[in-house]
Amino acid sequence: VGGGKALCRRGIDWQRAREFGVLFWLNCALGLVLNLLSFEHVAVVVLADTFGLDETTASSYSSILYAVALPVGPVVGVLISLYGLRAVLNGLCSVLFIVAHVLLVFPAVNPAVALALHGAATVTMFTTTPATVALLLPPSLHGTGFGILNGVYQIGELTSVLAWGALYDATRTPLAGQLFFVS
């Protein structure tokens, strides 16, 4: 509570924005791009249309996105603690996202494989990208940095859903949306 009152008295020092640096903003850009690949909100529609699943089955399949987080999240956290590897793991996220979306275009491939890859990429991204804030900013800016990064994530999520929805409405096929994710 006291910190909030102190902030109100001091105001926001916009000059400190220079301390964020290029690497922080590149990290935000990466977070934006990876969040544009977000799929969780439209998974049921894609699965129903592409694979001919009823809504209940499609919803069950889409839960794989979240179930994968249970074993993968802690492993990624341990890897970061032991070896760093944030940049390598973020690069792996991009590859996993693209492979997952390409697989979702082909109804002959079991969607569980693509959803497991996508879930692994999502939990890895949400573990690695925010963890870089502490490396890129001084401790006095960690809260602001996390707040900015989270805001960028939300912009990516919103844009992803709106773009996919517009493509789906225009074409009435999930293929256009998948091409958006892959491109």
Side-chain angles (χ1 to χ4, degrees):
V1 175
K5 289 181 183 177
L7 177 63
C8 289
R9 281 194 305 271
R10 287 190 318 246
I12 297 173
D13 183 3
W14 294 106
Q15 299 300 317
R16 296 210 59 202
R18 291 184 210 150
E19 294 179 44
F20 286 94
V22 173
L23 288 177
F24 173 80
W25 295 112
L26 286 173
N27 191 43
C28 286
L30 175 65
L32 177 65
V33 169
L34 292 176
N35 270 287
L36 285 171
L37 297 173
S38 179
F39 174 71
E40 298 81 23
H41 309 296
V42 297
V44 173
V45 174
V46 170
L47 293 171
D49 284 358
T50 304
F51 297 93
L53 303 174
D54 62 88
E55 191 173 322
T56 302
T57 305
S59 294
S60 297
Y61 267 105
S62 70
S63 69
I64 293 170
L65 293 164
Y66 302 102
V68 168
L70 295 172
V72 174
V75 170
V76 171
V78 168
L79 287 174
I80 290 172
S81 293
L82 292 176
Y83 305 108
L85 299 176
R86 288 168 185 84
V88 172
L89 291 170
N90 271 333
L92 178 63
C93 288
S94 302
V95 172
L96 289 176
F97 276 130
I98 291 170
V99 170
H101 285 291
V102 168
L103 290 176
L104 284 169
V105 172
F106 300 105
V109 177
N110 187 330
V113 174
L115 295 170
L117 290 174
H118 195 287
T122 301
V123 73
T124 301
M125 177 193 67
F126 283 121
T127 305
T128 58
T129 308
T132 59
V133 170
L135 298 175
L136 299 173
L137 298 177
S140 62
L141 292 176
H142 285 178
T144 304
F146 282 115
I148 290 171
L149 186 61
N150 186 33
V152 169
Y153 278 8
Q154 300 313 314
I155 291 168
E157 293 266 344
L158 173 68
T159 305
S160 172
V161 173
L162 293 175
W164 191 92
L167 285 169
Y168 183 78
D169 285 347
T171 63
R172 296 317 272 172
T173 176
L175 179 59
Q178 289 306 97
L179 292 175
F180 163 75
F181 286 121
V182 171
S183 64

